Amino acid sequence: MMAATAFFWLELREVSSKWRTSVLVSGLITFIAAVHYFYMRDFFVSSGESPTFFRYVDWLLTVPLMCVEFYLITRKSGATTSTLWKLISASVVMLVLGYVGEAIYPNETQSWIWGALSGVAYFYIFYLVWFGEVAQFAKKAGGNLLVANKTLAWFVFVGWAIYPLGYILGTKGGLFGIDFGVDAGFMDIVYNIGDAVNKIGFGLVIYTLAKKETEAEQIALKA
Ligand SMILES: *C/C=C(C)/C=C/C=C(C)/C=C/C1=C(C)CCCC1(C)C
């Protein structure tokens, strides 16, 4: 995460000014994650327990920033702050409800209800980026932007699905009261890998888009 941050921020000079905020945010996401991973390691080493609280604090900061990325890339083709707030509020609702189910009421009868409600917010984000306004604005922009939005939407679909799956398997009663008995330590590894793929991968898609658009701008300038 730290290496990715260094990469994104050092590459800032290589992209045109229009794309700097997006690449800056990519680095901010991996930076915030890196800081929280240091906290999580210390917490785990000293207590031997899963650092669920720090994980959620990290998500609560980084997932809304990923929503900001969707907004930043579609802003020029029509996305407004209303689009941004829809994404951000859905992500906050998703995470807060998930935290309640995983850390506050992690018993058989309640955690699946919190998980299901959280899942509704997740599907709303999924809808917005695949078919809703974010997808529409990306379509309007076309070209590199459409490709980038599609790729990011796949991250939301497949990459993000790791988390509810982890919730179902790792939380007692995460699915209609079923206990899958999956070890919390195993789930931590799954989340760690998921975070690396989702945060660094997501940032690289933004970076690639920024590079391609910068090149196109330079070619247009020369012509
Ligand atoms: C970098 C961290 C990311 C992209 C985290 C994403 C987290 C989620 C998409 C979590 C979703 C959940 C549900 C859809 C239901 C169960 C509870 C959650 C919070 C695990």
Side-chain angles (χ1 to χ4, degrees):
M1 294 289 187
M2 265 309 177
T5 307
F7 174 77
F8 291 132
W9 287 350
L10 286 170
E11 284 290 307
L12 277 174
R13 293 171 298 177
E14 305 296 324
V15 300
S16 81
S17 57
K18 283 185 199 158
W19 291 96
R20 268 184 210 142
T21 317
S22 300
V23 176
L24 185 87
V25 173
S26 290
L28 205 54
I29 291 169
T30 49
F31 177 74
I32 292 171
V35 169
H36 284 85
Y37 268 104
F38 288 127
Y39 278 120
M40 286 194 252
R41 181 193 57 188
D42 289 351
F43 178 86
F44 176 77
V45 167
S46 63
S47 73
E49 280 171 34
S50 273
T52 307
F53 175 74
F54 291 111
R55 218 177 255 299
Y56 273 87
V57 174
D58 170 276
W59 291 352
L60 214 48
L61 297 166
T62 52
V63 179
L65 281 174
M66 295 167 116
C67 295
V68 170
E69 296 279 38
F70 276 111
Y71 163 71
L72 287 175
I73 66 167
T74 48
R75 195 171 44 166
K76 277 173 222 102
S77 51
T80 60
T81 42
S82 131
T83 318
L84 175 64
W85 288 120
K86 279 178 201 163
L87 288 165
I88 290 186
S89 19
S91 71
V92 171
V93 167
M94 171 181 87
L95 295 167
V96 169
L97 296 179
Y99 184 74
V100 173
E102 191 164 340
I104 303 179
Y105 299 115
N107 64 55
E108 292 81 347
T109 47
Q110 282 177 325
S111 49
W112 77 264
I113 299 173
W114 294 106
L117 291 173
S118 163
V120 173
Y122 171 53
F123 279 118
Y124 181 57
I125 300 174
F126 172 87
Y127 165 78
L128 285 174
V129 301
W130 274 90
F131 313 104
E133 49 198 82
V134 177
Q136 296 305 323
F137 294 136
K139 212 169 168 187
K140 204 168 134 199
N144 294 331
L145 210 135
L146 182 61
V147 174
N149 190 73
K150 252 290 146 52
T151 317
L152 295 179
W154 274 106
F155 271 93
V156 171
F157 184 19
V158 181
W160 290 21
I162 292 170
Y163 305 96
L165 217 62
Y167 180 93
I168 287 170
L169 295 177
T171 316
K172 215 175 163 203
L175 187 73
F176 310 122
I178 304 170
D179 179 7
F180 291 93
V182 171
D183 174 47
F186 174 75
M187 280 328 305
D188 278 322
I189 294 171
V190 172
Y191 284 153
N192 291 354
I193 296 169
D195 276 359
V197 171
N198 285 318
K199 293 180 168 69
I200 301 172
F202 202 94
L204 283 173
V205 174
I206 298 284
Y207 168 74
T208 307
L209 171 65
K211 282 289 272 192
K212 280 190 193 158
E213 288 292 305
T214 302
E215 270 164 35
E217 278 165 33
Q218 282 163 351
I219 290 168
L221 270 178
K222 271 182 207 142

